[in-house]
Amino acid sequence: MCNRFFIFLYNRLRSLKGSFYRIKFRMLGANISSGVIFYGEPNFIGDLRNLSIGKNSTINQGVFFNCADKIIIGENCRLSSFSQFHTGALTMTCKNDRIHYSKPIELGDNVWISSGVIVNPGIIISSGAVIAPGSVVTKAIPSNEFHGGVPTRFIKKIDI
């Protein structure tokens, strides 16, 4: 009986903590839809007004958002622990000049980004796509496909 009480209490506190992050991000200007669940604290740099998260998506511990440009996350998306979304980057010219640039990132509905994935600027990941753990996404991902690797490559089609 005592063990059940502590499990209940732990789950309740975890839920309240997730609500705190949802409120915090909304107060900082992010567009967080209803039903979004935070399992731990996400990190960010830049302007949170550039972040939009669709209904019933989940954000796990340590997810990193570089909000130099728009990040649009669809409905029912799963962002696993320590995945990274970089809208800002740096390029070098022949004269060793460093030029900062930014491009938006867009995730369709029902996308699963596994742990440790890095999504580069200007990437569109279409609905139903799954990205394998530890991958680096450098190009657009079509709908209902499983991609993985560094850089990502097609692994198989997902049957729905």
Side-chain angles (χ1 to χ4, degrees), residues 21-22 24-25 38-44 51 53 59-65:
Y21 295 125
R22 187 171 49 248
K24 174 184 171 183
F25 270 48
F38 287 89
Y39 293 111
E41 183 174 7
N43 300 303
F44 71 93
L51 179 63
I53 303 174
I59 314 298
N60 282 290
Q61 174 70 34
V63 172
F64 177 78
F65 298 107

Side-chain angles (χ1 to χ4, degrees), residues 29-42:
N31 180 12
I32 310 293
S33 298
S34 63
V36 173
I37 300 172
F38 287 89
Y39 293 111
E41 183 174 7

